[in-house]
Amino acid sequence: IFKLHNDQYGKHGGGEKVHTKARTLNSMEHGTVQKAVLIVTISVIAFDASMTAFGIIDPSTAILLFLAVEVPLGLVATTVSAVRYRQIRSAGSSKVEALEEIAGKVVAKAIAGELNMYRSVWLWIRRKADGAGPNVYVYGYTRGTFGVFIAFALVTLVEIIVVHLLLPWAWLRITLLIVSVYGVFLLASFMAARVVHPHLLSRDTLILRDGNRVVTSIDVNAIVRVSHTKRYDKTVATEESGRLYLPCLDGSNIDMELSTETLIRVHGLL
């Protein structure tokens, strides 16, 4: 690209190349600084938490260290990451690509998943379905989900009571309480994602989803046959021998035959 640009515009093309190279090196330097600041911040927080957990420092000292050291480090890390994010976005990258560049693909997907959880719970509270609108039919797939959530919530409640009665360490009781409550929230957000992201059918397209992820988009003209067939052998989305299985926790009840091959995306946890 640079060679073609230089042939067409002469010296201006070479100047653009040098400028782009300098901008790339500057971006790499900022990326190194940003990663170093994040590593130092996380290391200090982990060290402080370990010292507190093992009783080497008392909670009041830990709070002072948190306010004097970790909060400023966190602000610096946030600022550096925000500057780095803006640089990557200004270079033409998408929001997801910028986040992956800063935090890594696995962490970026985890952050995106966390944000999607909050959005799903918010839509659920407001009783809104993502993508619903005029001339769009929605089809849910939540059968069997509520029973699992209620059972897990009851078990967690019993666990919290038992832990509170048996463990003598207040810091450990509080930690496990936070973990337990967050676990209930995770399951609630999983259920909310399935409730507020139903399958969508419009005049031209059928969109099949698994939570907040789109599995496939089908042209309705490609649908040859639809039949009611109850299946219980699959409970998670999977693909086998050119067939897509997209069940709820209670199995599936619709078979659909297509006239053409269709791209599908079966997502893992991350």
Side-chain angles (χ1 to χ4, degrees), residues 174-194:
I174 294 173
T175 301
L176 292 178
L177 174 63
I178 294 172
V179 172
S180 298
V181 172
Y182 184 70
V184 174
F185 172 77
L186 282 178
L187 188 60
S189 64
F190 167 78
M191 183 172 64
R194 299 178 73 83

Side-chain angles (χ1 to χ4, degrees), residues 108-127:
K109 288 183 178 179
I111 293 173
E114 190 86 6
L115 295 176
N116 283 328
M117 287 193 314
Y118 298 136
R119 180 176 180 272
S120 296
V121 172
W122 176 242
L123 288 174
W124 192 23
I125 293 173
R126 297 173 59 203
R127 297 185 178 182

Side-chain angles (χ1 to χ4, degrees), residues 160-203:
I160 291 173
I161 296 173
V162 171
V163 166
H164 181 76
L165 293 175
L166 295 182
L167 291 180
W169 304 285
W171 66 268
L172 184 56
R173 291 200 304 268
I174 294 173
T175 301
L176 292 178
L177 174 63
I178 294 172
V179 172
S180 298
V181 172
Y182 184 70
V184 174
F185 172 77
L186 282 178
L187 188 60
S189 64
F190 167 78
M191 183 172 64
R194 299 178 73 83
V195 172
V196 303
H197 295 92
H199 305 313
L200 304 175
L201 176 63
S202 64
R203 182 185 300 273

